[in-house]
Amino acid sequence: MPPDEAADEEGVRRRRSHDYHDDAEIGVDGARDGVHVGTRTLSLHEASTQRSSGSDITPPLSSSRPMSTGEAGVTRNIAGKKRKSDEIARDSPTAMEAHGSPSSPMRIDTRAANNPTQRRPPVHTTPSSPRSRHRGMSLRTSLFTRNVDRATPAGDSIIEMHDLPGSSSQFSDSDHVKKDIQPSVSVTAIHGDFGPPTPERTRHGRISLLPSTSADGSLTKGPRGMSVLPNYQQWMQEQANRHLPVRRAKQTYKQLRKWILRIQEIPPSKDGRHIPLDPHRKKALIDERTRRPFVSNFIKSSKYTLWNFLPRQLFAQFSKLANLYFLTISILQMIPGLSTTGSYTTIIPLMCFVSISMAKEGYEDFRRHRLDKAENNREALVLHAYRPVQVEAEELKDGPVHWATVKWQSLQVGDIVKVDRDQPIPADIMLLSSKGPNNTAYIETMALDGETNLKTKQPSAALVGKCATPEDIVGLKRTEMAVEDPNIDLYNFEGRLSVHDDTSPLTNNEIIYRGSILRNTPEAIGVILYTGDECKIRMNANRNPRIKAPSLQGVVNKIVIFMVFFVVGLALINTIAYQVWHVDYEQKAWYLTDAHVAFIPIIVSFIIMFNTMIPLSLYVSLEIIKVSQMALMNCDLDMYDEASNTPFEARTSTINEELGQVSYIFSDKTGTLTENVMRLRKLSVAGAAWLHDTDLKDTPMEDREVGDKVDGKSKCKHAMWKLPRKSTTGSRPNINNMPKSSHGIEAAPRNSTTSWHSAVPAIRQPDMSTAEIIRYIQRNPQTPFAKRASMMILSLAVCHTCLPEIGQDGELSYQAASPDERALVEAASELGYTFFDKTLSTLTLKTFPNGPAAEPVLEKYELLDVIDFSSTRKRMSVVLAMPDGRLCVVCKGADSVITERLRLADLARQKIAEVERRASQRRNLEAQEVLHRKSESADRRSSVGSFPRTSLTLRSGSVSGRASFGRLTPIKDDDDDSLVDRSAHTPRASAQIGRHSVAYSEHVCSEVRVEESVATDESTVIERCFQHVNDFATEGLRTLLYAHRYLSDDEYRSWKKVYQDATTSLVDRQQKIEAAGELIEQSLELTGATAIEDKLQQGVPETIERLRRANIKLWMLTGDKRETAINIGHSCHLIKDYSTVTILDHEAGDIETTLTAALLNIHHATETNTIAHSVIVIDGRTLAHLQASPTLHTLFLDLAILADSVISCRASPSQKAHLVHAIRRRVNRSVTLAIGDGANDIAMIQESHVGVGITGKEGLQAARCADYAVAQFRFLQKLLLVHGHWNYVRTCKYTLATFWKEMLFYLTQALYQHCTGYTGTSLYEQWSLSQFNTLFTSLPVIFLGIFDQDLRPATLLAHPELYSAGQRNAHFNFRLYLAWISMAIAEAALVFFTMETLWGAAVQPVPGGQDLYSMGFLTFTACVVIINTKLQVLMQRYRTYLAAGLWALEVGGWFAFNAALSLTYADNYIYDVKGALLRGFGREVGWWVTLGVTILAVLVWEVLVRVVLNVVMPTEVEVWQELEGDVGLREKLGVCDGEELGLMGSGREVEMEEQAKREGEVRDLLGFRERGLEKKDGVVEQIEFLGQTGDDGEDESGSGPVRKSTDEQEMLSRRFGSVRRGSLGG
Amino acid sequence: MEQSPPDSLHEEHPDKSKPKSRRPANTAFRQQRLKAWQPILTPKTVIPLFFAIGIVMAPVGGALLYASSKVQEIIIDYSDCVASAPTCPTMGLVPSGKVSASFKSATPSGSEPRWCTNTTDVPYGISGNYKVPTDTCHLQYYIPDTLHPPVLLYYQLENFYQNHRRYVKSYDQNQLQGHAVSASDIKSGDCSPLQLGEDGKPYYPCGLIANSLFNDTFFSPVQLDTIASSDSQAVYQMTTDGIAWSSDKDLYGKTKYNTSQVVPPVNWRKKYPRYDDTEFPFPPLHTDESFQVWMRTAGLPLFSKLALRNDTAPMQVGHYSMTIYDDFPVTIYDGKKSVLISTRTVIGGKNPFLGIAYLVVGGLCLILGAVFTVVQLVRPRKLGDHSYLTWNTDTPSTATTTGRSLRPGESGA
């Protein structure tokens, strides 16, 4: 094939495959027009497009373009290693030439020529120009190609290369191509229309992607698609240039550091590491890179040693701004003669504070030391065979071959280790042999990638049978492994193994990583490849976890800096004033001869005097507060999981307030969102859908009753998810509220119908239980339906690769590679086909044809062949000989795959199209509905303020009075409401389906159980089956199709021959097997479909919904497959039915184009409101590819930020962490929360602002490293929405209050300076002064910070929108700070001048009446009373007896303290303390009267300001406080709250009772009110309320969705109306 | 809080003990649902509060004002007496700006305060042979109402910074208590900058406060109207006894210095050119209440200190004459000194501002209460806005349609 033609074909193929191709193509032109020389953004894609349009250009050089854009063409294998390989290329070009250049292109060529399926053209093979050609090549590739060269190609990687057209350009570059491409790069013509795109920045600093936002919406298909990229790059470059000096400085610093500390970068090895297999070895192997032995297997996660702890910690402590500040102050204070406020008042508390912090650090590190030690001292078995290495080595006699016990830390590269069942793997090893079946070792890699299913590993074929015993291994000669250098990639591995000069490739399949655990395998032997810190798990670990500090602290620090300037400024002003006063007065005052104070002492003493405006107690008390907040969170019953007996546990207290500001949540999937329990949930057979509910029936009856009861009372739809354990999503409430008549007809409650509800309520249909099938089959075994059904169940029981295992207790369990398979087999067992025994070629099933009670019958099936599942085949088949001798092939697989292989494939395709069309119609309608609501609420929003739609634009939203309320209006595009109401709003679409299914099932349920007629009508069966599959998938279930075909003996025999050949083939075995499989998997009969539910954790969708309403974006980062991830995304409503899902896959096409187009689409759609909900799906490899280029990465991040949700699958721990890091950096002021349960989430948890660990079944690793440990994902609601909000508000209030009180108090001191000639005399006596912050005003702020509740939990949970206040920093910002400070200034002036005029200046008839002490005491007392009153009464909302007690304690304590001083004080003239309070001014009415008026004046002022603000511009919190105060509304909220919490916390009996009583009252009240208005309904409702019975729950499931939700709406709005009226009236 | 040990224990010994429930205690405190008093500060809720405060404060203010008005006092600023008063016996009118009197009865015209000045040779020392010519100020004033005891005579200094940072602590307590503090101790002590005089002898008493002792001498006022009847009655006898705290006496003691060890402070040299046992013995600080009063430094640059008092006899209506030895310079630093005769009430001296402050605050509260009431009656504020609570009603909020035109992009949506 000539190259051009091939390229054409390539282009066409792409065009077909690519959604955005049109945009992209035109976009390319635009891009070229707009490109300047040097902005080289031409992509591979562009080049191919050009070619396809007739130009004569051969594929461009990847290296001729900037590396960033060249990535698309790089092999999958290389992508992840790009950066590294670049380095390699740069560092050792000669090495690369030597290894890579001569071999690779040629080899590829030959392969291409040999392979008939290859679509790739023969490529240029110019052996010259090696450098440019191989710049992008990694060691991995060179190793790989070498492997290919030496051994027969095997394994996936080759196939991948075939499929990858991009890879061709990698190898087919040549110099003349490079020249050719140049002209197109340097096109400079500028089209008027599209102009040179200049980055247009919005006010948020983000680049505007669109040159202009036109209203006609043509942009999406406009030609500007690609022109964005140059913009982007330009912008990126600008950004980069802006920070250039900083980066340079950083780089220099790094180099300097390296130079000083003599850190040497380890150069990459030339050809990987070579490890000879040699159990005789006594000396450690030498690392080629460092010329030293390989790193030991010793791991160290601790940070300090005994010696460097103190200096490093001291440095760390005092590099904190605040500590440094206080240290400076205390040093100044200790200089004699400068301080007017004592010498040690700062240093002593500071030292205590610092030592506690250090002790904490020290203890943590000590713990790490201990853990390290435990891990390092574990023992492993190492094969020792001491034979003479050399003849003359006498001491090394022939030793016995034995397994020596060696500590983990002493393991070395090359050691041969034996691992027993359930033992952890000590290092990264290559499997030599396994005692498992078929040489397979099952391992659990939970700690690495979080996946719980077991993985199979097999030793390399070259070693099979050669390493079974130690002796065999010892006898193995000339065996060597060459493997790549240590890296962090968990999913790929490259290396080769040579046994006696036979080289075979090593892939991930042979390697077991440290941290895995051997399961279900008696023992495995392996040779160590990497040790210690070079293990993948260690390389993936975050070596230096970031020390987390709350972002609020950043603001506080800024304010502290501001305050430092303020203090210095104040000191300076006073100093200057003193100088002026000195000239004006002091010089002339004869009595002040020589009393002048020099400049330095005066300014220093002022600084010391005012330094406490930034009190040390700000930090000390904050610690106390946070610890207390932590304690309160820990004992929250609502976050206690009864099932696992796990309370919530905060492991750190430093970042409590961050919980109130989270804007991104990164969640793991397995174990976090899902329970990792697979169950067969639905079955479609012979045109009927059945619900498999055996496990649901286990739900204790009481449970359901409780649920139903609550349900009945519920007047709130938010209680959707509260039926415990019942299902993934719970039920829809309120059925019981409806008049019975409305659903009496439809409901046909049977014992068999249960109330499992799918994730998507609208599609809910009353399915029949599978138990019915069994019964039916038993009764009518010969009907067509029964035959179909039993074939289906039989298929479930036989088509799998599970192994039965009978446990000690006689329980049958199954060993399966995937939990899905196990679920299917278990289901089959529950349906009467118990897979009982398996030998090599027989399957034994236990069936119960005569009912479960009767004696089981054993049926033996001969298992002839198993064609395994593979990712390309997406199906598996078994060939069986039935007991009656018939041969049958049973196939199961993805619907798309099976459809093609059906006998009636054409019919099936047609039906699928129909089903799809209906579904898409419905989706469109739904999306439109959502958009409609959205625009409605956008209207509302934009008319009153900005709602956090895109997090970037909302941040500036100010709290401007009423305007901010728009935020509170719940957005109506959520499932919570809209999905429930959907049927009411989109009657045509969903009603159709609804009717369809309702009618159908009614039919089935009430008349004939099973439609036998349908069972024989093939086309109906197919149609319904696909309809069901579609429905199942929409519900988030994982579907599989089953098909079968009976074979004739001849057919089988001929096929068997082909298959036999294939399985024994040495060349292309996999492909041949696949081809053989293809032969037999043809013209199959559709058996049925299954739907497997990956059980979600309780309350997950509701939690996600609520968090979304709280303007938190949820990203799901999982190690699972993309399909699984998307599936779960559906079932937990991360992806909605109407969502636009963008899948980013760099193998599917030009990622750049996809990215750009998606970005434009979403951006545009967001502006014009045409996308209801967008989700990005990306996989790990694509991510790695994107990360390699800063431009693409930024592009991707922008896209991800714009999207509503992101799902990342196949992500390695480090990638997860990286994503978190990127968002943390990219989105300003974002607070990220990572939640996960496994060790693979640790990196992410540590990287995020807030790390939450799930204390699940999978161990506690994540929970140990996390900041917070919860038992259930749904507890996040209470944690974030309630505790987070509270903690944030509390901390904010605390901080503001602290600054306020300091300002108030010390400003009186400053004001007094005016009366003392600015000489620095203190108004206050020292003892009381030093206790101001500790004894008299610390508790009010601390209590405020611990206990205050601005809103009730019910309100906060019912209105997640309130949460966004934290994200907007609404409770603490500079403006608020200034407001509080202004209040402080005003109040300080009021206090001081009142005192001065009313008391100080008045003639006092007592001796010494006008002395300093009485004045100081007056203002001091006023301040103490004001501070306590304001903080405990005015500011605090949770005014309990604590507040009252505290007030009394503080104020009383202050007087008691002074009375004590008055009695015990030493004689002192400056402050006339002795006896003053008791006998001096304390007896003066005037003094007390002055005190009274001072306090009252300030408090009246405070109240006045707050009332006026409340009227003029109330905050949203204030409005909600008012609303809470309304009894009717509170009850409304309270009901929801109680139910939710009651179930969250499980079993709060007392609470429930109380609540029931309360509800009863309200109900009476409501009923009474309503009776007047709408008598009939009210009465019916009353009856409904009171007549609660257990079987109401049954009714619920039978009622039609349409009618119900409208009724519900009516009811609610009506009742709501009456509440409104009532409350307004009263 | 450490979580791992119990867990691992369970794994190992499942039967050993039933796992202890880690369920948090269900108490109102821990679950943060204590009963709380949660009124909100809205105009409606604060109306009673404001009225209450107003109603309490206004009468108190009235009472205070009344009490203050009961105080009778006269203040005469005599700073310029020596400089501007006519030489005795000619009496000149004291400029009205320098006089302030508040009595129940008005002062008849012609009875305004008058002053004159002359120089008197004042004898100091035991023998009285050491005479120093001293400026003397004579004041004549009229008391229109009988002042009931206690009648207090203050001197009032203005613009005098007794609270100066270095001044305020410039004394040596030990020295004052009578200890013979050595020169070196004084030097390193608090008295700076006035520690040692000539010859390196410490001052006694050292320090700025003592040095600047207010040394004008006030004589008891003499009633001019009754001069004919009897001399003894004419003098309204006032004393320094009881002008200081009784406890203050403990702070001072008879000094143990020899007169040769110390020198008097610079400013005392007029009365004490030197210390010697015969002619100029140490001043009796422990009995000198004027000194003790002075040593109690004032907090503000304007202060009045008690100089004389009479706790027994009323001061009768009439013209009085008072002699003051004017030694204390104030004009150099733009200060002022006054003599103040006053009675006292329960709230102390005259202080009308106190009552006014109460009246103002109370009045404001009443006014605000009234304003809020009116507002509440005329346009009652809705308790929150229910239209925001639309989470389960599907009727579009009316708030959305308040006269806002659609943006171009929205028309299609």
Side-chain angles (χ1 to χ4, degrees), chain A residues 1211-1253:
Chain A
S1212 67
S1214 62
Q1215 272 177 331
K1216 290 179 174 190
H1218 191 93
L1219 267 181
V1220 175
H1221 178 83
I1223 286 296
R1224 219 184 68 210
R1225 285 301 191 72
R1226 182 90 179 109
V1227 186
N1228 231 357
R1229 284 198 293 178
S1230 64
V1231 175
T1232 57
L1233 180 146
I1235 179 166
D1237 70 328
N1240 63 322
D1241 305 316
I1242 289 176
M1244 157 172 101
I1245 284 171
Q1246 286 174 337
E1247 187 56 50
S1248 61
H1249 289 102
V1250 184
V1252 180

Side-chain angles (χ1 to χ4, degrees), chain B residues 113-349:
Chain B
R114 291 159 184 275
W115 62 9
C116 69
T117 181
N118 61 1
T119 312
T120 320
D121 283 340
V122 181
Y124 293 110
I126 301 261
S127 61
N129 291 335
Y130 178 71
K131 290 193 173 160
V132 182
T134 306
D135 290 328
T136 312
C137 183
H138 300 275
L139 296 176
Q140 271 188 25
Y141 47 87
Y142 179 71
I143 304 289
D145 293 304
T146 308
L147 304 185
H148 295 285
V151 178
L152 308 164
L153 188 145
Y154 303 87
Y155 58 90
Q156 194 175 56
L157 294 181
E158 211 176 318
N159 210 14
F160 188 94
Y161 288 84
Q162 260 205 318
N163 55 15
H164 185 283
R165 173 182 172 181
R166 297 188 68 183
Y167 178 94
V168 80
K169 59 179 182 184
S170 181
Y171 65 94
D172 190 302
Q173 186 153 358
N174 285 336
Q175 194 192 41
L176 293 175
Q177 273 180 335
H179 303 291
V181 184
S182 69
S184 58
D185 285 350
I186 292 284
K187 181 137 182 65
S188 62
D190 286 332
C191 277
S192 95
L194 279 182
Q195 300 135 321
L196 304 181
E198 55 279 16
D199 312 330
K201 289 179 183 174
Y203 291 113
Y204 175 76
C206 71
L208 289 174
I209 310 180
N211 179 48
S212 60
L213 175 70
F214 185 77
N215 55 3
D216 279 6
T217 313
F218 295 100
F219 290 90
S220 295
V222 179
Q223 195 175 8
L224 301 172
D225 309 318
T226 55
I227 203 149
S229 58
S230 83
D231 279 0
S232 59
Q233 277 179 353
V235 179
Y236 181 70
Q237 206 63 51
M238 299 186 92
T239 171
T240 57
D241 288 345
I243 58 171
W245 284 111
S246 49
S247 61
D248 275 7
K249 294 190 178 70
D250 306 338
L251 301 178
Y252 306 92
K254 215 170 148 55
T255 185
K256 292 174 185 135
Y257 279 125
N258 291 327
T259 43
S260 60
Q261 283 173 314
V262 288
V263 290
V266 185
N267 218 36
W268 292 31
R269 296 285 165 86
K270 196 168 174 186
K271 292 177 182 174
Y272 294 94
R274 64 188 177 277
Y275 288 130
D276 63 44
D277 294 327
T278 52
E279 189 64 24
F280 295 105
F282 288 129
L285 299 183
H286 55 290
T287 55
D288 187 349
E289 291 197 33
S290 296
F291 178 76
Q292 290 167 9
V293 167
W294 180 255
M295 290 302 285
R296 291 246 172 247
T297 50
L300 295 175
L302 165 70
F303 58 90
S304 33
K305 286 185 179 291
L306 256 181
L308 295 167
R309 65 189 297 160
N310 185 330
D311 292 311
T312 50
M315 194 170 182
Q316 301 295 340
V317 179
H319 291 87
Y320 287 85
S321 160
M322 206 174 125
T323 306
I324 303 164
Y325 291 158
D326 193 338
D327 285 321
F328 195 78
V330 292
T331 44
I332 307 168
Y333 58 84
D334 305 327
K336 282 179 188 168
K337 54 183 178 182
S338 315
V339 61
L340 187 159
I341 298 167
S342 165
T343 58
R344 67 174 236 197
T345 60
V346 67
I347 59 152

Side-chain angles (χ1 to χ4, degrees), chain A residues 477-496:
Chain A
K477 296 286 179 216
R478 286 199 293 145
T479 305
E480 192 187 65
M481 283 79 65
V483 293
E484 58 187 350
D485 285 336
N487 61 66
I488 61 169
D489 192 344
L490 274 179
Y491 296 104
N492 297 293
F493 185 82
E494 279 184 10
R496 61 174 186 269

Side-chain angles (χ1 to χ4, degrees), chain A residues 585-586 591 596 605 635 645 649 940 1264 1290 1312 1316 1319 1321 1349 1398 1438-1439 1469 1472 1489 1510, chain B residues 1 3-4 20 22 31-32 34 37 41 159 161 163-166 171 296 299 304 351 358 400:
Chain A
Y585 182 93
E586 197 180 43
Y591 62 93
H596 178 64
S605 64
C635 56
N645 190 23
E649 191 181 1
R940 212 174 302 173
R1264 281 215 186 88
R1290 286 166 178 169
Y1312 174 63
T1316 177
T1319 49
T1321 311
Q1349 301 177 0
L1398 298 189
Y1438 191 60
R1439 300 175 196 103
Y1469 303 121
D1472 187 14
V1489 172
N1510 193 349
Chain B
M1 281 293 128
Q3 167 161 357
S4 41
K20 216 179 98 204
R22 301 169 68 207
Q31 300 306 320
Q32 304 191 59
L34 293 170
W37 179 60
L41 291 178
N159 210 14
Y161 288 84
N163 55 15
H164 185 283
R165 173 182 172 181
R166 297 188 68 183
Y171 65 94
R296 291 246 172 247
S304 33
N351 192 359
Y358 267 82
T400 58

Side-chain angles (χ1 to χ4, degrees), chain A residues 118 242 267 520 528 557 631 908 945 1019 1098 1317 1414 1423 1455 1569 1575:
Chain A
Q118 185 93 353
R242 207 159 15 123
N520 301 343
I528 295 179
N557 277 345
S1019 106
Q1098 198 185 327
S1414 71
C1423 286
F1455 281 107
R1569 279 177 186 167
K1575 249 176 201 149

Side-chain angles (χ1 to χ4, degrees), chain A residues 206 664 949-952 1113 1115 1176 1194 1196-1204 1206 1222-1223 1226-1227:
Chain A
R206 224 164 45 77
Y664 282 88
R949 169 74 180 86
T950 49
S951 55
L952 285 165
K1113 291 196 174 183
W1115 291 29
I1176 308 291
T1194 318
F1196 164 67
L1197 287 179
D1198 278 357
L1199 175 63
I1201 291 162
L1202 268 183
D1204 291 293
V1206 174
I1223 286 296
R1226 182 90 179 109
V1227 186

